[in-house]
Amino acid sequence: MNKESLLQLRRSVVMEMFLCKKKIEDNTDSIQDNKAEVEKLKAEKKLYVKKGNKVQINRVSENIDTFKVDIDTMINELSEKSKIYKELEQKLQKAEKELQAKGVEPIDFDSK
């Protein structure tokens, strides 16, 4: 691969990595938020159980189930994005080695 192609590859991989990392962070935050909401709903359900309000118990139970499905979906997305991110890291490392061989300085992610 020529130098320009490698530089373009590096730019596109870095951008994909950034977007992937952002999605991972967003999913992680959403998972934590949803877990907190499930805990609130569980506490609410306990109150309805004490009162014997079956309609509210069913409503809260459905909401809990919905949040649990959302959490599972986000965990699966998180796993997939993490896998993609690792693949992108490997792709970037390969491109960086080839660029270094052509005299191009590597990207210093720690300084940014």
Side-chain angles (χ1 to χ4, degrees):
M1 218 183 257
N2 68 31
K3 186 176 171 180
E4 271 310 305
S5 296
L6 286 168
L7 288 170
Q8 180 59 37
L9 174 65
R10 177 169 75 179
R11 281 190 291 274
S12 67
V13 169
V14 169
M15 181 56 77
E16 285 180 61
M17 287 174 73
F18 172 78
L19 295 173
C20 196
K21 187 172 184 175
K22 179 71 174 129
K23 184 69 175 174
I24 289 169
E25 291 168 356
D26 291 347
N27 273 8
T28 301
D29 292 343
S30 294
I31 289 167
Q32 294 306 317
D33 293 345
N34 283 358
K35 284 182 177 181
E37 191 62 33
V38 166
E39 291 307 312
K40 287 181 196 173
L41 289 169
K42 284 180 180 179
E44 185 179 335
K45 182 178 176 181
K46 284 181 185 178
L47 292 174
Y48 292 132
V49 168
K50 284 182 182 178
K51 293 179 181 179
N53 189 335
K54 290 185 180 191
V55 172
Q56 291 295 68
I57 293 169
N58 290 338
R59 181 191 61 79
V60 172
S61 294
E62 287 174 9
N63 287 343
I64 290 171
D65 291 343
T66 300
F67 274 107
K68 285 182 177 181
V69 168
D70 289 348
I71 289 169
D72 289 343
T73 300
M74 284 185 255
I75 288 171
N76 289 337
E77 286 177 9
L78 185 63
S79 176
E80 185 62 29
K81 289 295 180 186
S82 295
K83 181 181 171 188
I84 291 169
Y85 188 83
K86 287 177 185 173
E87 290 170 359
L88 290 169
E89 276 183 320
Q90 291 172 348
K91 195 174 188 179
L92 179 62
Q93 288 173 356
K94 184 179 177 187
E96 287 293 333
K97 284 180 184 176
E98 289 185 43
L99 282 167
Q100 278 183 316
K102 296 182 186 297
V104 176
E105 289 294 316
I107 296 174
D108 183 10
F109 290 104
D110 295 329
S111 67
K112 294 181 182 180

